[in-house]
């Protein structure tokens, strides 16, 4: 069963979507986390059930993260999203430590991808359905510039500033 809730954050109202899971804390594995104005954001669909309590474990971690007291999320992600390549890229995002950044090129190198594949890597990052908790905001341009964030560059800057504080 697909469940959803919203969470008021410094970035605006986040939409959380999940699936029941016997192994996830709180019983819900996260399918997506999207924000206002996000390119490709999830929208509530017919048949989904609003269940705020199902996300208590996730929202507690989000509160702690935005308060500056949580540096690593311990959230189960629902399986099945993305292609094998996208999942490989998303797994690599989870290795970028809190308070740091990496470049698209470095991430490609970490995955053993050629320079030609950097564009495909960027596309996979852009399709990350779990903004904030899967830290695609930590990937920047080779020259240190902020580039390519589905939630908008202002939100990318806010997240990086929060983590630098």
């Amino acid at each position: 069963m697909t469940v959803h809730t919203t969470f008021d954050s410094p970035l605006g109202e986040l939409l959380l979507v999940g699936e029941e899971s016997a192994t996830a804390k709180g019983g819900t594995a996260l399918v997506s986390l999207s924000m206002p104005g996000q390119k490709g954001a999830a929208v509530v669909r017919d048949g989904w059930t609003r269940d705020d309590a199902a996300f208590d474990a996730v929202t507690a971690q989000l509160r702690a993260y935005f308060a500056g007291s949580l540096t690593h999320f311990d959230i189960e992600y629902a399986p099945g999203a993305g292609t094998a390549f996208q999942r490989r890229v998303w797994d690599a995002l989870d290795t970028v430590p809190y308070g740091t950044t990496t470049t698209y090129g470095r991430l490609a190198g970490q995955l053993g991808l050629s320079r030609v594949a950097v564009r495909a890597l960027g596309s996979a990052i852009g399709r990350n359905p779990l903004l904030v908790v899967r830290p695609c905001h930590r990937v920047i341009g080779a020259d240190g510039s902020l580039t390519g964030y589905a939630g908008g560059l202002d939100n990318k800057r806010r997240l990086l500033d929060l983590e630098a504080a």
Side-chain angles (χ1 to χ4, degrees):
M1 173 170 63
T2 302
V3 293
H4 68 93
T5 192
T6 55
F7 175 79
D8 288 324
S9 81
L11 307 176
E13 186 178 74
L14 305 180
L15 173 64
L16 287 71
V17 179
E19 296 284 341
E20 291 180 348
S21 168
T23 56
K25 291 179 181 177
T28 303
L30 200 58
V31 172
S32 74
L33 187 158
S34 49
M35 60 183 65
Q38 175 185 330
K39 183 173 58 174
V43 294
V44 176
R45 297 184 184 173
D46 291 340
W48 290 6
T49 303
R50 182 168 183 122
D51 186 349
D52 300 338
F55 293 92
D56 284 349
V58 176
T59 57
Q61 289 184 58
L62 286 168
R63 264 189 225 85
Y65 171 79
F66 286 117
S69 61
L70 181 78
T71 61
H72 177 76
F73 290 99
D74 184 17
I75 295 171
E76 182 179 313
Y77 305 144
T83 66
F85 177 75
Q86 288 170 334
R87 289 190 303 273
R88 190 169 158 230
V89 170
W90 298 340
D91 286 345
L93 290 173
D94 287 329
T95 69
V96 181
Y98 179 94
T100 68
T101 57
T102 191
T103 66
Y104 293 91
R106 270 187 265 157
L107 199 59
Q110 177 184 328
L111 291 168
L113 302 174
S114 70
R115 297 292 296 162
V116 175
V118 171
R119 182 169 292 228
L121 176 126
S123 180
I125 291 171
R127 287 182 172 72
N128 171 19
L130 297 163
L131 297 189
V132 181
V133 298
R134 184 182 282 142
C136 56
H137 58 275
R138 296 179 189 153
V139 183
I140 59 173
D143 63 358
S145 63
L146 298 188
T147 60
Y149 188 61
L153 294 182
D154 288 342
N155 284 332
K156 184 171 189 164
R157 167 57 52 212
R158 285 184 188 117
L159 291 167
L160 293 174
D161 289 348
L162 168 76
E163 294 184 6

